[in-house]
Amino acid sequence: MPGVVGIIGRNDDLSTIGCTEIAINGFEQLQAATPTSSSEIIQIQPGRMQGRLKHASVAGLSLGFGAFSHGVISRGVYSDDRVTIGFLTETGRQRVRQRGIGIIRIWSPGVEHQSRYAAGVSFGAISASTGDMARFFGPDSRFSEPTAWLRKSAFHTSPETGDASAGVLRRIMAGFDRHARRLGPSEAEYWKRAIIESACYAIANSEQSDVFVSSPQRLVRRTQEYLDGAGNAPVHISELLSHLRVSRRALHRAFDEILGIPPMRYLRQKRLCEARLLLQLEVATDVTVAEVAFRQGFADFSRFSAYYRALFGENPSETLNRHSIRS
């Protein structure tokens, strides 16, 4: 669902409640905040990323809310063994591109997501085991067997129902902020069921639909799979076209329809994000900004610096120097 970027980390003591809040000041923190997922996040809107994530772990179930200031693209698998339920609580300042879903979205274990999230989006998400979800519904329900949550399915609800569920979850989270330290295992189990109930009310009154991957979406996915195989090495557009056996125009149309940006810009933003990660990870190797820029396919250093500064709100040398001091 638009706006969902993370799954909450599990508490060491699964019988109690743990709460954390994280300040976001870079796209890489959004990626680091999803320890149970294999998601890739690419910042696509210029400016310094800011935001916050609030996490709670409740008797083995995860609940989270957050917001971020600049547009991103997220893709990957949230969890291989848990059900992920997301609520969009604010749509942001720009149009959010997402095909075929409403205000609540359920990802079964192992199901891949792909979304472009607008600036100013706020979201809520819960993550629960298939067993917890099945036990909640009980007998005489299409969701009473854990296998019901293993299918690659989508569920569509009305905006009103999803918004109501998000409101309940926000109030529960606010209560955790004030009272979590005084709650024991039995209280944690109660709130776990209350959280599932708020989401399951919407699911139980939804219509199930088959997952359909359109031709443009399949083309974008094949592109990203090829980029995954290249690791952090840059990939030229001509290499992609040759591998995919498509025209530049066909690839452009697919990216515009699915992600809302042309493939050349997507490739550039991805290379800039890889460069930022390299500047943070290789401070101990005496790497220079110019070397990182060239490794990511930028021959014009001044243009690389301008792109970098516009996207992240700081010079690449500032990123490198800040992490050099910390190391």
Side-chain angles (χ1 to χ4, degrees), residues 3-324:
V4 177
V5 283
I7 310 302
I8 306 122
R10 301 171 188 167
N11 197 8
D12 291 337
D13 184 353
L14 298 182
S15 65
T16 59
I17 297 174
C19 298
T20 60
E21 184 165 0
I22 304 171
I24 299 297
N25 55 25
F27 86 94
E28 64 275 14
Q29 288 181 293
L30 288 176
Q31 188 159 306
T34 59
T36 65
S37 75
S38 55
S39 298
E40 177 189 49
I41 295 176
I42 299 175
Q43 183 175 334
I44 59 173
Q45 184 184 27
R48 187 184 293 269
M49 177 74 73
Q50 293 181 325
R52 64 181 180 83
L53 295 173
K54 294 182 67 174
H55 292 168
S57 180
V58 188
L61 176 144
S62 296
L63 168 66
F65 282 95
F68 49 94
S69 60
H70 290 72
V72 300
I73 289 173
S74 175
R75 60 176 288 263
V77 175
Y78 283 126
S79 177
D80 289 325
D81 59 356
R82 293 165 72 83
V83 178
T84 304
I85 305 173
F87 304 87
L88 184 66
T89 58
E90 293 180 20
T91 58
R93 296 185 294 273
Q94 300 178 0
R95 181 165 63 100
V96 180
R97 288 177 176 257
Q98 182 69 39
R99 298 175 59 84
I101 61 174
I103 201 166
I104 183 173
R105 179 70 161 103
I106 293 85
W107 288 276
S108 300
V111 171
E112 182 176 288
H113 72 276
Q114 167 132 277
S115 302
R116 176 182 174 177
Y117 307 144
V121 159
S122 296
F123 65 90
I126 74 170
S127 174
S129 70
T130 56
D132 279 339
M133 299 301 293
R135 281 192 296 272
F136 179 85
F137 279 97
D140 303 322
S141 167
R142 58 180 168 147
F143 302 118
S144 61
E145 293 293 332
T147 53
W149 298 97
L150 298 178
R151 305 187 188 107
K152 293 190 175 182
S153 306
F155 301 89
H156 301 259
T157 69
S158 69
E160 294 78 12
T161 301
D163 189 52
S165 295
V168 172
L169 292 175
R170 280 194 177 280
R171 290 191 289 274
I172 292 175
M173 177 69 87
F176 289 163
D177 288 341
R178 296 188 296 269
H179 310 301
R181 292 183 180 180
R182 298 188 179 184
L183 298 178
S186 59
E187 293 90 349
E189 185 64 28
Y190 171 87
W191 284 113
K192 172 182 175 179
R193 295 188 68 85
I195 291 168
I196 294 178
E197 180 182 38
S198 67
C200 287
Y201 170 77
I203 299 170
N205 292 283
S206 67
E207 294 185 359
Q208 188 171 359
S209 63
D210 294 331
V211 173
F212 174 73
V213 180
S214 65
S215 180
Q217 193 167 19
R218 187 161 51 247
L219 185 55
V220 170
R221 182 175 297 175
R222 287 180 60 205
T223 300
Q224 293 167 330
E225 289 172 350
Y226 186 80
L227 296 175
D228 291 342
N232 59 11
V235 174
H236 196 273
I237 184 69
S238 62
E239 182 180 347
L240 272 178
L241 298 176
S242 176
H243 172 75
L244 298 172
R245 300 192 178 194
V246 297
S247 67
R248 188 178 293 249
R249 171 182 271 185
L251 192 63
H252 189 284
R253 282 200 304 264
F255 268 77
D256 182 65
E257 179 176 343
I258 301 304
L259 298 178
I261 62 173
M264 287 291 290
R265 184 183 172 200
Y266 179 88
L267 291 174
R268 186 179 70 216
Q269 306 299 71
K270 179 175 174 61
R271 288 186 291 135
L272 288 168
C273 289
E274 291 289 354
R276 183 173 176 85
L277 295 175
L278 287 173
L279 289 172
Q280 295 172 358
L281 293 174
E282 299 196 12
V283 292
T285 64
D286 295 325
V287 68
T288 67
V289 173
E291 289 171 346
V292 169
F294 198 78
R295 284 167 59 181
Q296 285 303 313
F298 294 94
D300 187 328
F301 178 73
S302 61
R303 180 169 293 183
F304 165 77
S305 296
Y307 283 143
Y308 191 98
R309 184 168 54 251
L311 185 59
F312 301 121
E314 66 180 12
N315 292 317
S317 58
E318 294 179 80
T319 303
L320 181 63
N321 291 336
R322 184 172 63 254
H323 285 269
S324 296

